[in-house]
Amino acid sequence: MTGEGTSRRSFLMRSLALGGAAAFAGTGGSRAAEGGDPAITELKDWNSYLGEGVVARPYGTPSSFEAGVVRRDVPWLTADATSSVSFTPLHDLDGIITPNGLCFERHHAGIAEIPPDEHRLMINGLVDRPLVFTMDDLKRFPRENRVYFLECAANSGMEWRGAQLNGCQFTHGMIHCVMYTGTPLRYLLEEAGVKTAGKWLLAEGADASAMTRSIPMEKALDDCLVAWKMNGEALRPEQGYPVRLVVPGWEGNMWVKWLRRLEVGDQPWEHREETSKYTDLLASGKARKFTWGMEVKSVITNPSPQAPITHGKGRTVVTGLAWSGNGRIDRVDVTLDGGRNWHEARIDGPSLPMALHRFYYDFEWDGSQLLLQSRAVDDRGFVQPTKNELRAARGDNSIYHNNGIQTWLLTADGGLENVEVS
Amino acid sequence: MTGEGTSRRSFLMRSLALGGAAAFAGTGGSRAAEGGDPAITELKDWNSYLGEGVVARPYGTPSSFEAGVVRRDVPWLTADATSSVSFTPLHDLDGIITPNGLCFERHHAGIAEIPPDEHRLMINGLVDRPLVFTMDDLKRFPRENRVYFLECAANSGMEWRGAQLNGCQFTHGMIHCVMYTGTPLRYLLEEAGVKTAGKWLLAEGADASAMTRSIPMEKALDDCLVAWKMNGEALRPEQGYPVRLVVPGWEGNMWVKWLRRLEVGDQPWEHREETSKYTDLLASGKARKFTWGMEVKSVITNPSPQAPITHGKGRTVVTGLAWSGNGRIDRVDVTLDGGRNWHEARIDGPSLPMALHRFYYDFEWDGSQLLLQSRAVDDRGFVQPTKNELRAARGDNSIYHNNGIQTWLLTADGGLENVEVS
């Protein structure tokens, strides 16, 4: 097995083998007759058929050949689908943008379908001027566009007690990354005039769970957005249409969807979702609360258990995602032998703070069994820990904030499995 | 009328008027009873109803309230929908990413629906080793992720002879901007080994039009991608699934979809789509050919004829898009009086070469009639011209490459109209 700089000879040989009819060099419109490949003879000759026209799909949909690329749930995870989660198919994706139709969703009382013209956002509490905004009002404030990841605090939570789920969609799929458009929350708070005693903000959703979270005023005035668009178009219903809170780098539960109220107070509210839930129970029996930030993390998305290697030995692309609630990713390393030797991966595409980063590691696979891992380092110097390091620090009661290194066992047949290395 | 730094007082007064029930400050879960607004009493109280669960939509779709946000065609423009164009609803969008379902499409023989497992890409002609690649083969080359705009050469073409279409979706909607994932074309050409005489590349599509365009080798080896993903997921069928060419900054017709063949030659092929079409007929009767680059351009997307101002006087957000095939956008100016006075707009969000840029200009509208225009300058110093400057240079036979300044007349009722100023 050799590294990235390797000659392409082995790959080239395979291409030549496939290219049995490669001497065919007609410039006419007819399809190249690739006699050596039986699948080709079954092909519809598109040169003879007109396809569907432009009016057929005013809002486009994926190819029927991509029908398997969907969000999936884990039916045994929750009692009911209306308080549950679906997972982003990370193993099927590339780049750093998640298409809106595949963004994971987690909601606590189903998807509220709110008419935007009737929706209102209220600011009340310790403010000089309590205010109520229509959606049109919000759109008169200065806007910003930012690409951010949103990760559920419980992402990878089922892995605290060992490798359980066979696929990065399920171990790491409670994350997505889109471009948001909205207005900085501080403009709305300035409009209302926050009183000196106002140190906390309660964000409340309009859905049946009336999701409520306390947010320190410092964060609210820093980089939070009140957003109504994702990837250019309106928020999707399951993402809080018509308006949600964006709390960059912090756990997804705080990004309150169907946002209807912001109350300014002098202390946190200690509501259910920040006491009974979304706290970290330590071995001592004490629980850490207000552990908002999502720490530096990464995962290899391909190859992975849902995306085995089918091409046999030779040149292989390993790719994955890295992110940190602290800022940008500075470096990602990949190991093929469970952590003995690390190789620096190539980070490609825009590097934006608190956004997904895409990494690649290209190598020649010799067909042997490997233990694949990735390890990210963020621009504040934080290094992604092992799962055992996390367990040593926090015990094994935890559900949330598992940013440990993930291991995939690659076997000689190209299949992969979720395993732990000690 | 005053500029961006204006006090927010006029806006604030309106918010207070809306906020008649703003003293309501209950912290409980029940919906704020906003007695002053009759629409509110009709609202479904989502606190009492569970919404749709996570399993209902494995691939998500927009809210039913966004049903009007769609690509649209102009039925009289072409004889048949299978060789036609649908337009991106720019007036409904924000940010710089176009969601895949709303990316304009232009195809010459309908949408080929090609099974990816059976698709092949051949490289032939003046190469050392003719090659045929499967999709799996392509995915073993090093990948890159880049955000690029794709603009049809004919975008704004119907405006050469004066203001005709009432909406930026139709005047400027043959453009989209997504993140592509693919492999640099140069890697494939290196694998095949381009002979010294190989100075041109023919790219050919697998659809019924067998779209073919000649591309100079210098561009092919520079920044072109062979791409299979857009915004993270597989290319959409109408965008060339399973694989297309990406030719950054150059006219969309060259970004061959359903890419099946790349032939290396020693001269251009002079095919139909680069001689009879996609050339610029001058007043002299001579035509310019190989005018590939898309020049610096911008348009105000909101307010615009399809997106009137409904809030009356006061604080108003003007937003739009700017782009250049030469690189980044350095500056966008906005005028409210048809070009007498220009104000620098704020460019917000990532500034990436050959990608859309989003600009904003926030001002206080006094309710008077205005002539809105935007003018972009790129990082090579090119300034967007007026339509009359273009006509003086090229005559009035042209269809393609209209990057002239667009004017919207804003009337006192908030409506807008496509007009020309002399």
Side-chain angles (χ1 to χ4, degrees), chain A residues 31-108:
Chain A
R31 201 174 194 294
E34 290 153 329
D37 188 333
I40 295 296
T41 60
E42 307 292 327
L43 261 184
K44 184 168 183 175
D45 178 0
W46 275 100
N47 282 141
S48 316
Y49 296 90
L50 289 175
E52 193 175 70
V54 297
V55 289
R57 294 174 200 266
Y59 193 95
T61 52
S63 163
S64 57
F65 299 108
E66 300 293 313
V69 180
V70 289
R71 302 181 291 199
R72 294 182 192 278
D73 66 330
V74 180
W76 48 261
L77 184 62
T78 55
D80 193 282
T82 51
S83 178
S84 191
V85 57
S86 71
F87 299 86
T88 304
L90 298 178
H91 60 292
D92 285 320
L93 304 180
D94 213 322
I96 68 162
I97 296 291
T98 317
N100 291 344
L102 293 175
C103 287
F104 93 95
E105 48 177 329
R106 196 283 184 251
H107 36 79
H108 297 251

Side-chain angles (χ1 to χ4, degrees), chain A residues 112-273:
Chain A
E113 290 252 15
I114 297 176
D117 290 349
E118 297 172 8
H119 188 68
R120 298 292 183 273
L121 170 60
M122 176 162 71
I123 299 185
N124 69 338
L126 298 177
V127 293
D128 298 330
R129 297 172 291 275
L131 296 173
V132 174
F133 300 95
T134 64
M135 287 305 301
D136 284 344
D137 290 339
L138 294 177
K139 291 173 182 174
R140 298 173 73 181
F141 285 86
R143 293 175 213 166
E144 290 185 358
N145 303 287
R146 297 290 181 271
V147 178
Y148 291 126
F149 77 80
L150 184 167
E151 185 181 17
C152 179
N155 199 21
S156 315
M158 291 177 283
E159 300 291 299
W160 268 108
R161 294 172 196 184
Q164 291 193 46
L165 289 162
N166 231 8
C168 68
Q169 178 168 19
F170 303 109
T171 58
H172 290 74
M174 285 199 261
I175 193 166
H176 55 63
C177 184
V178 303
M179 175 173 280
Y180 294 96
T181 303
T183 190
L185 175 54
R186 67 177 170 277
Y187 291 148
L188 305 184
L189 293 172
E190 282 167 10
E191 190 90 8
V194 174
K195 291 185 189 294
T196 310
K199 298 298 181 198
W200 287 83
L201 193 68
L202 186 77
E204 182 186 77
D207 64 323
S209 78
M211 176 59 60
T212 41
R213 287 295 302 257
S214 303
I215 298 167
M217 189 58 69
E218 192 180 2
K219 179 72 172 175
L221 295 175
D222 179 15
D223 57 5
C224 292
L225 296 176
V226 170
W228 51 84
K229 290 208 187 286
M230 58 192 290
N231 288 339
E233 66 183 352
L235 289 175
R236 290 296 175 83
E238 65 272 29
Q239 304 297 339
Y241 180 86
V243 62
R244 85 175 305 163
L245 200 59
V246 168
V247 190
W250 288 18
E251 58 189 24
N253 181 251
M254 307 179 79
W255 300 44
V256 172
K257 301 193 276 197
W258 311 290
L259 183 69
R260 71 168 178 191
R261 196 164 66 86
L262 295 163
E263 181 176 342
V264 178
D266 58 358
Q267 53 187 318
W269 279 257
E270 311 279 359
H271 275 193
R272 174 180 182 272
E273 304 290 337

